Amino acid sequence: MTQAQIKQFFEQYYAKFTQNDANILPNVPPAMQANSNETEEWKHWKMIPSTVTEEDFAKLEEEMEIKLPNTFRLFLSTYHHYFENPIGRNPIDKPFQSLHYAYNPILIHANYLPFAWDKEGYFIRCI
């Protein structure tokens, strides 16, 4: 899978996601606010190009004792976003938020990569 394909996925998913006005959350960082004129606490968010660097990936892999698959690196380095299910959040102020939240050393040592929890916290999503 290429970064262009991943970018296309995100853009199509975001277009579908925003049709239902589902992109409203509290505490959206200013860079990710879709409309800076909104005065309420809950704001529309937008995707922005990822600022994740190779150094960020190296640090993450070292602290979690993992090696990320190349496709997953592309996935995380395409856009910052607030999608919850099924792909997990990747906001600009907390890159890898979903990955950190789903971290489970037992699964990692069994060669699974947990990357997101479902909305209710019942099911962990793994590669």
Side-chain angles (χ1 to χ4, degrees):
M1 183 168 273
T2 67
Q3 191 153 24
Q5 291 170 314
I6 292 171
K7 184 177 181 189
Q8 181 182 14
F9 158 77
F10 273 120
E11 290 169 358
Q12 289 175 348
Y13 192 56
Y14 184 76
K16 182 179 176 183
F17 195 75
T18 57
Q19 286 177 349
N20 300 326
D21 224 15
N23 67 325
I24 300 175
L25 291 170
N27 307 315
V28 175
M32 293 185 72
Q33 292 176 12
N35 182 350
S36 60
N37 295 329
E38 291 180 315
T39 57
E40 302 295 320
E41 178 185 351
W42 287 65
K43 300 185 185 308
H44 288 84
W45 62 268
K46 64 182 177 182
M47 297 185 308
I48 60 171
S50 178
T51 58
V52 175
T53 65
E54 283 301 315
E55 292 79 25
D56 296 330
F57 282 123
K59 181 179 174 186
L60 175 74
E61 289 177 338
E62 184 178 329
E63 77 181 35
M64 292 186 143
E65 299 179 359
I66 58 174
K67 178 71 175 148
L68 296 173
N70 288 336
T71 302
F72 193 61
R73 282 172 160 254
L74 289 173
F75 179 79
L76 293 172
S77 62
T78 301
Y79 280 114
H80 288 292
H81 60 82
Y82 273 104
F83 296 119
E84 186 70 44
N85 288 324
I87 59 178
R89 292 181 178 182
N90 187 25
I92 192 168
D93 58 340
K94 296 177 186 169
F96 315 126
Q97 176 185 21
S98 188
L99 193 61
H100 283 289
Y101 181 64
Y103 178 75
N104 183 312
I106 294 170
L107 290 174
I108 288 172
H109 291 298
N111 292 321
Y112 290 94
L113 177 60
F115 66 90
W117 284 94
D118 73 334
K119 191 180 240 180
E120 290 79 30
Y122 295 114
F123 301 103
I124 193 166
R125 307 213 189 289
C126 297
I127 296 173

